[in-house]
Amino acid sequence: MSVGFHELEEAPPPMTSRLEGELLEVSMGPQHPSTHGVFRMNVALEGEIVRKLKPVFGYLHRNHEKIGENTSYLGSMPYTDRLDYFCSMTNNWAYALSVEKLAGIEVPERAEYLRVILAELTRLQNHASLLGFLLSDMGAWGTPLMYAFREREKILDLFESLSGSRMMCDYMRFGGCRCDLPPGWMERARKLVDGFPRFLDEFEKLVVSNEILIARTQEVGKLSAELAINAGITGPMLRACGVNYDLRKVDGYGFYPRFKFRVPLGEHGDCYDRLMMRVLELRESVGILQQAMEQIPPGPIVNPKVKLRSFRPPVGEAYGRIEGPKGELGFYLISDGGSNPYRYRVRPPSFINLTILEDLCLGHTVADVMVILGSIDIVMGEVDR
Amino acid sequence: MSGQVDEGLRSELQKQGIWVTSTQELYNWGRRNSIWPLQFGLACCAIEMIATAASRYDLARFGGEVFRPSPRQADLMIVAGTVTKKMAPQIVRLYNQMPDPKYVISMGACAISGGPFKQGYNVLKGIDRYIPVDVYIPGCPPRPEALLHAFMELQRKIDGQKLTGESKAPFLDANQPSEFPVPAFGAHDLEPPLNSDVFHPPTIKR
Ligand code: SF4
């Protein structure tokens, strides 16, 4: 009746030990619920632990740069909206800034203020949706995303009434902005900005001290300041490692030196710090917005000397960069005097931030890969271009 | 499963508290109100798709909020975004993996024709070259309302599908294909560049 010991010992080894020492290759993506678009990772697993990770790009390669070289300078402006489709305003600004550098165009004061306001609003909605996505990657499926999108919709309403489109604003022009604010816009924006800290308080109360969130993010995906600098990481990811580098302070473009704001810094460079960095930056952005809305002067919004039709900048090259919500967003343009740029190159922050994905993921479990990827904040339109 | 119920009789009976229906109506009513989309975004339009499913536009009102990450559980594929040539085989494969009856919404200019990126060397000029599309939504990106409208159009289409007879729905016809050949990477382009069984562009008469 009973099984003898020797029989038990001779039983085949359990299934799990058959892969002993061998790595199991898993292909995550390109259709995956939390790869934020069409991104694929070939992961080699030992049990649950990631031993190798190879990102596969190019599923959304839309020839942005090639098209940019074959269209006029102004014609590329709507394409920049579609780079990082969360932040069309900052993309517009970075592109306009590099063309303005190339052609030596001055921007009127009101336009600069408008740009700051719109860029910070973009930051609000980008970071808010990032928090939602990150939490849903962690398994808080749905609810935080709903909260985040509720705030995002309010900002998109402002963008829509200003530019005519919710996401693809195509609002900035070389030497200014396309049109002035519609009546009542500033009051609505002010109301939104004043109410935003309430959302943040609520959000922080809901998630930030949540035990599960802390367990999933603290000490996960640690990035050292040294590696971050060497790999060219920028944006909140770099500041989460404690490196004080914010182009708004360093370059001081677009009247940012006129505003009082602090640059929040992390300490550990783990996912929790990266997440908190977004929350803290949101609070600073609210401060910048309030100051900018206070100070914005009346006046023209576009430099009347710029001829947008048949726009031909002089021969030369320029690199314009801004602190986008995801990091340093730059456009490098070479002009041969024609109506198209000779070379058009984008420095996408999320692509460069993604390059260290393997370093962050090694030694963590598969489930953590999603959290780490979410905390990097990528948008495939910008990564693959 | 007989012919249509007489409308007058039906309303007469309804007043008595008797609900008369046909199998077809009941079947289509059930299918139309629980369409599960594939959770699958490609590019910018996918963000509008998420916005449609999120708090403000609330796709759940139409029974479409259950986004399934697995094609095996999905009824509807919303092709939301630019289809590149690298991605097209995967999309056809995902479509093939979906069980019948299955529907496709082609969301945005890119999925319809390549949209703003049509001149790109890596961009597929419309997903309808490889898989049949039920509803097209123009726009770049289409507003969430447009997606809701497409959803309602799809519901209308499902409602009109017949279960028997000559003009029965294609998924009930054993002779109709439910899977389509997956294109392969050729030397310069996808091989074949289009599936002529599926792709019927309108001829423009001038
Ligand atoms: S149609 Fe427009 S918004 Fe949609 S994926 Fe294409 S470029 Fe993006």
Side-chain angles (χ1 to χ4, degrees):
Chain A
M1 292 293 278
S2 64
V3 185
F5 269 126
H6 62 280
E7 276 179 294
L8 263 186
E9 271 163 17
E10 276 165 13
M15 287 292 276
T16 46
S17 65
R18 274 208 235 152
L19 268 176
E20 195 109 58
E22 264 178 61
L23 296 185
L24 177 71
E25 277 213 26
V26 179
S27 169
M28 298 167 90
Q31 186 257 341
H32 188 279
S34 43
T35 48
H36 295 240
V38 277
F39 177 53
R40 183 166 138 217
M41 289 171 282
N42 279 336
V43 194
L45 300 174
E46 185 186 339
E48 279 271 295
I49 310 292
V50 178
R51 291 295 174 216
K52 260 185 233 150
L53 188 146
K54 193 167 144 256
V56 184
F57 303 111
Y59 287 99
L60 194 57
H61 176 51
R62 302 193 279 194
N63 332 115
H64 182 91
E65 290 176 3
K66 199 71 205 161
I67 292 176
E69 283 159 21
N70 294 321
T71 15
S72 62
Y73 282 91
L74 185 59
S76 285
M77 188 62 91
Y79 283 103
T80 61
D81 289 339
R82 289 152 180 87
L83 260 183
D84 169 358
Y85 27 81
F86 274 104
C87 326
S88 55
M89 289 290 188
T90 45
N91 296 347
N92 284 177
W93 193 3
Y95 179 58
L97 197 73
S98 46
V99 176
E100 280 153 12
K101 255 191 185 173
L102 189 65
I105 300 171
E106 295 274 310
V107 183
E109 200 170 351
R110 183 174 172 84
E112 284 282 28
Y113 270 103
L114 268 180
R115 287 178 175 190
V116 170
I117 292 173
L118 293 168
E120 292 307 319
L121 281 175
T122 306
R123 203 182 308 275
L124 292 190
Q125 57 112 340
N126 178 73
H127 284 359
S129 14
L130 168 95
L131 293 175
F133 281 125
L134 181 56
L135 284 158
S136 63
D137 287 350
M138 269 181 242
W141 185 243
T143 314
L145 193 67
M146 297 285 167
Y147 278 90
F149 266 65
R150 185 189 65 193
E151 294 311 305
R152 183 171 180 266
E153 289 291 340
K154 292 181 195 162
I155 297 171
L156 291 192
D157 273 356
L158 288 177
F159 286 173
E160 190 183 6
S161 64
L162 181 59
S163 72
S165 176
R166 283 156 49 85
M167 279 169 69
M168 308 300 171
C169 301
D170 181 24
Y171 179 66
M172 291 178 199
R173 291 288 178 264
F174 316 138
C177 298
R178 199 175 73 204
C179 48
D180 210 337
L181 300 176
W185 193 92
M186 204 50 112
E187 285 70 55
R188 280 166 61 201
R190 205 167 276 147
K191 222 170 113 198
L192 182 139
V193 170
D194 290 341
F196 204 82
R198 263 194 64 206
F199 158 71
L200 281 176
D201 292 342
E202 183 187 51
F203 206 79
E204 277 190 46
K205 210 155 82 199
L206 278 175
V207 296
V208 167
S209 51
N210 184 314
E211 211 166 302
I212 302 174
L213 180 112
I214 290 176
R216 288 295 306 271
T217 53
Q218 281 189 354
E219 300 292 312
V220 170
K222 264 190 135 173
L223 175 62
S224 67
E226 196 191 350
L227 176 65
I229 293 171
N230 286 342
I233 310 297
T234 46
M237 238 184 121
L238 177 68
R239 294 192 285 274
C241 319
V243 183
N244 190 351
Y245 183 78
D246 187 326
L247 285 181
R248 291 176 291 180
K249 292 277 191 203
V250 176
D251 273 13
Y253 63 96
F255 293 161
Y256 272 112
R258 294 192 189 181
F259 307 123
K260 270 230 286 291
F261 67 100
R262 290 170 302 170
V263 179
L265 291 180
E267 208 174 312
H268 312 282
D270 54 5
C271 285
Y272 186 77
D273 276 19
R274 289 200 277 278
L275 193 151
M276 282 311 289
M277 197 56 45
R278 266 75 186 217
V279 178
L280 295 173
E281 273 192 14
L282 284 176
R283 295 208 184 271
E284 294 304 318
S285 286
V286 169
I288 298 176
L289 276 166
Q290 278 164 341
Q291 294 170 48
M293 286 170 174
E294 206 57 44
Q295 297 171 12
I296 184 167
I301 52 148
V302 71
N303 187 339
K305 285 196 213 109
V306 186
K307 298 259 177 311
L308 284 182
R309 308 223 173 264
S310 66
F311 177 79
R312 280 164 200 271
V315 181
E317 52 185 275
Y319 177 66
R321 57 180 191 173
I322 65 163
E323 180 73 33
K326 299 187 165 67
E328 173 183 338
L329 173 66
F331 285 80
Y332 180 59
L333 299 166
I334 302 182
S335 159
D336 57 358
S339 57
N340 307 345
Y342 172 74
R343 179 78 176 98
Y344 173 98
R345 154 92 189 145
V346 189
R347 185 218 185 269
S350 45
F351 175 55
I352 292 170
N353 291 356
L354 191 58
T355 49
I356 48 150
L357 182 64
E358 184 174 12
D359 301 87
L360 297 186
C361 292
L362 291 187
H364 290 293
T365 57
V366 203
D368 288 338
V369 173
M370 269 19 274
V371 181
I372 294 168
L373 186 69
S375 74
I376 296 178
D377 191 7
I378 59 164
V379 157
M380 288 322 281
E382 197 178 62
V383 173
D384 289 340
R385 277 159 290 143
Chain B
M1 178 69 238
S2 60
Q4 287 297 306
V5 188
D6 179 50
E7 276 306 314
L9 177 65
R10 189 206 301 245
S11 68
E12 200 56 43
L13 284 170
Q14 231 157 33
K15 279 180 206 145
Q16 312 290 324
I18 301 170
W19 188 50
V20 182
T21 184
S22 61
T23 328
Q24 175 177 308
E25 273 171 26
L26 188 66
Y27 183 68
N28 283 345
W29 170 81
R31 287 197 308 135
R32 136 172 88 88
N33 289 315
S34 70
I35 303 174
W36 289 10
L38 181 63
Q39 186 189 13
F40 173 51
L42 286 165
C44 351
C45 282
I47 309 300
E48 285 298 61
M49 183 174 81
I50 297 169
T52 314
S55 34
R56 187 181 195 178
Y57 294 98
D58 199 10
L59 196 55
R61 291 177 296 156
F62 301 90
E65 81 282 19
V66 195
F67 277 84
R68 304 311 294 184
S70 160
R72 299 285 185 206
Q73 304 168 347
D75 308 315
L76 166 67
M77 178 189 245
I78 303 178
V79 185
T82 319
V83 184
T84 59
K85 289 186 180 158
K86 187 168 179 177
M87 195 62 206
Q90 327 283 344
I91 295 182
V92 180
R93 202 165 288 143
L94 283 172
Y95 180 81
N96 289 347
Q97 286 174 353
M98 281 163 58
D100 264 334
K102 52 189 167 187
Y103 303 91
V104 177
I105 290 180
S106 173
M107 181 181 185
C110 280
I112 294 176
S113 69
F117 296 94
K118 186 159 184 155
Q119 43 176 319
Y121 49 84
N122 190 31
V123 175
L124 187 74
K125 278 99 192 138
I127 190 60
D128 53 1
R129 285 166 190 243
Y130 293 114
I131 55 176
V133 174
D134 295 279
V135 186
Y136 297 85
I137 328 171
C140 181
R143 294 180 56 89
E145 289 94 336
L147 183 57
L148 290 179
H149 183 226
F151 216 82
M152 287 155 72
E153 283 297 321
L154 187 67
Q155 291 185 329
R156 211 162 292 152
K157 176 169 183 170
I158 292 174
D159 235 2
Q161 282 188 327
K162 300 245 172 7
L163 298 190
T164 49
E166 277 293 283
S167 55
K168 65 181 174 194
F171 66 89
L172 294 168
D173 192 344
N175 298 323
Q176 296 280 345
S178 85
E179 294 189 2
F180 294 95
V182 178
F185 298 124
H188 300 294
D189 200 350
L190 288 172
E191 291 291 336
L194 52 89
N195 183 351
S196 50
D197 297 340
V198 177
F199 188 48
H200 306 294
T203 42
I204 299 166
K205 292 197 191 77
R206 290 176 209 276

